[in-house]
Amino acid sequence: MTAHIRPDLATIPAYVPGRNHPDAVKLASNETTFGPLPSAAKAIAESAELANRYPDNQVSELRAALAEFLGVTVANVAVGCGSVALCQELVQITCDAPTDEVVFAWRSFEAYPIVTQVGNATAVRVPLTEDHLHDLDAMADAVTEHTKLIFVCNPNNPSGTAHGRAELERFLDRVPAHVLVVLDEAYYEYMRLTPDTRPDGVEIGRTRPNVVVLRTFSKAYGLAGLRVGYAVGDPEVIAALLKVHIPFSVNRIAQAAAIASLQARGELLDRTDVLVAQRHQLREALLAAGYEVPPSEANFVWLPLRARSVEFAEASAVAGVLVRPFAGDGVRVTVGDPHENEQFLSFATAPENAARFR
């Protein structure tokens, strides 16, 4: 006899991280190539000296710093082991039966179907538009009496496309007040929409108690290896998240690094301008070579190569650059350092490859 394990777990797809190889350029995981600032590195070293002590389970100091930064109260903020942990906790606090539904666009962040099934709920996938955007009208139409949660990834991973504030608010106006909407803004700091159209989930959520916003220190802040994300929402939602929070899952070093990085956010976020300029150059070169590349508001670009996606990624790997294929859909290419981008473009825009894959 062996222990009973939920049989449905056998059907859950494993989360597939970007590939690594010591001799290859890695543009597969949406990491920033900038390391922690000296002040953050100092905080990491100092906190490591206290690694024998448990971290603050309430993440009080970081929550207070985030509340001050965002202009909200501490009761509006929860912190998790990366925003993906918060995704799973949001399913836990909203879904309590297999018939409960979680709606999200597809293709989008691949953790959504995983955390939904782990939470013993039903995933409802809504196809993207032909422009690789969330089909917000179709997502609103997909809401039923069983819908408990909606994930909106904006900018979307892996397409990089983003909706403006007006479109998001029209969508939110159609969602019943008892359905929780998660605005997943992991790439918020890379958005360059005009000030009158750029959505800010925290501002949108101030008058909408059924909206919670997710952001992270893994991307623009350069702390992907330490796993710190946060949620901003109505105190009732945040209180529920704190109840299902895995004790001590946000470690001491991660908390210290996030606080130090937040204090140095001006310098850190200035670095996003460098990446955005590289993103523009990368997209323009690919367009000039004949590829379809939708406008990106994230730290990557998307090549909707469909059936040729895996073949393209394998050929790129042979050329020394690892990118992220999504079989049947496309290839996501992280914006790296200039020399890394140039190495990728040397492969992708070579006449024989452009003719083969575009």
Side-chain angles (χ1 to χ4, degrees):
M1 293 289 291
T2 58
H4 172 76
I5 297 175
R6 284 171 47 188
D8 68 298
L9 294 183
T11 67
I12 294 181
Y15 181 87
V16 181
R19 295 165 60 185
N20 278 298
H21 191 283
D23 299 321
V25 169
K26 184 185 179 185
L27 302 180
S29 295
N30 297 350
E31 302 151 321
T32 178
T33 58
F34 296 110
L37 290 175
S39 58
K42 180 181 178 183
I44 289 170
E46 291 176 350
S47 62
E49 294 178 359
L50 295 173
N52 58 308
R53 301 294 186 184
Y54 283 110
D56 174 11
N57 189 48
Q58 297 299 316
V59 201
S60 303
E61 189 176 354
L62 177 54
R63 290 174 65 203
L66 284 166
E68 180 180 4
F69 167 52
L70 298 167
V72 297
T73 70
V74 173
N76 294 112
V77 181
V79 177
C81 184
S83 57
V84 67
L86 292 162
C87 287
Q88 184 159 320
E89 292 166 1
L90 285 160
V91 175
Q92 287 180 283
I93 68 171
T94 55
C95 300
D96 57 7
T99 54
D100 290 341
E101 295 175 347
V102 178
V103 175
F104 49 84
W106 196 252
R107 179 171 287 273
S108 190
F109 183 31
E110 63 181 305
Y112 296 155
I114 297 172
V115 299
T116 298
Q117 192 169 346
V118 169
N120 204 26
T122 298
V124 179
R125 297 171 174 84
V126 179
L128 299 175
T129 68
E130 292 183 359
D131 295 330
H132 312 286
L133 284 157
H134 279 49
D135 191 336
L136 295 177
D137 288 334
M139 291 178 71
D141 291 339
V143 173
T144 72
E145 69 272 19
H146 300 294
T147 305
K148 295 296 193 296
L149 183 67
I150 304 173
F151 285 114
V152 178
C153 191
N154 197 58
N156 185 43
N157 176 13
S159 67
T161 53
H163 281 286
R165 177 163 184 156
E167 299 104 305
L168 283 175
E169 291 193 322
R170 282 195 296 270
F171 164 73
L172 292 170
D173 287 342
R174 293 190 57 193
V175 177
H178 67 274
V179 175
L180 188 65
V181 180
V182 180
L183 299 182
D184 188 346
E185 296 184 338
Y187 301 94
Y188 175 78
E189 290 84 1
Y190 297 109
M191 294 183 72
R192 292 299 185 271
L193 299 177
T194 60
D196 59 325
T197 62
R198 186 175 191 257
D200 181 333
V202 175
E203 293 303 316
I204 291 173
R206 290 186 192 277
T207 57
R208 296 178 185 270
N210 69 324
V211 170
V212 63
V213 180
L214 298 182
R215 292 184 187 166
T216 183
F217 286 91
S218 293
K219 307 303 180 185
Y221 286 87
L223 300 180
L226 293 181
R227 314 304 304 127
V228 194
Y230 59 96
V232 185
D234 184 78
E236 185 175 346
V237 174
I238 298 304
L241 282 175
L242 296 178
K243 290 179 180 179
V244 300
H245 171 76
I246 297 176
F248 307 117
S249 58
V250 184
N251 68 70
R252 174 182 295 276
I253 296 172
Q255 292 185 40
I259 292 167
S261 297
L262 197 62
Q263 291 170 345
R265 60 185 174 271
E267 186 176 354
L268 276 166
L269 297 182
D270 282 346
R271 303 192 306 191
T272 63
D273 290 334
V274 177
L275 185 141
V276 168
Q278 287 291 312
R279 179 181 75 195
H280 177 74
Q281 293 175 18
L282 184 62
R283 178 172 183 260
E284 289 300 311
L286 290 167
L287 289 172
Y291 289 95
E292 178 187 358
V293 190
S296 174
E297 294 293 332
N299 68 339
F300 53 85
V301 296
W302 174 245
L303 301 174
L305 299 175
R306 302 173 181 86
R308 295 163 294 164
S309 301
V310 173
E311 182 185 2
F312 178 93
E314 291 302 326
S316 180
V318 171
V321 182
L322 302 179
V323 295
R324 182 64 185 275
F326 296 86
D329 290 314
V331 175
R332 190 188 66 198
V333 184
T334 305
V335 180
D337 286 334
H339 75 278
E340 295 175 326
N341 300 332
E342 285 301 322
Q343 185 170 338
F344 169 72
L345 287 174
S346 293
F347 155 75
T349 64
E352 65 275 17
N353 290 329
R356 176 183 173 189
F357 293 113
R358 65 190 177 195

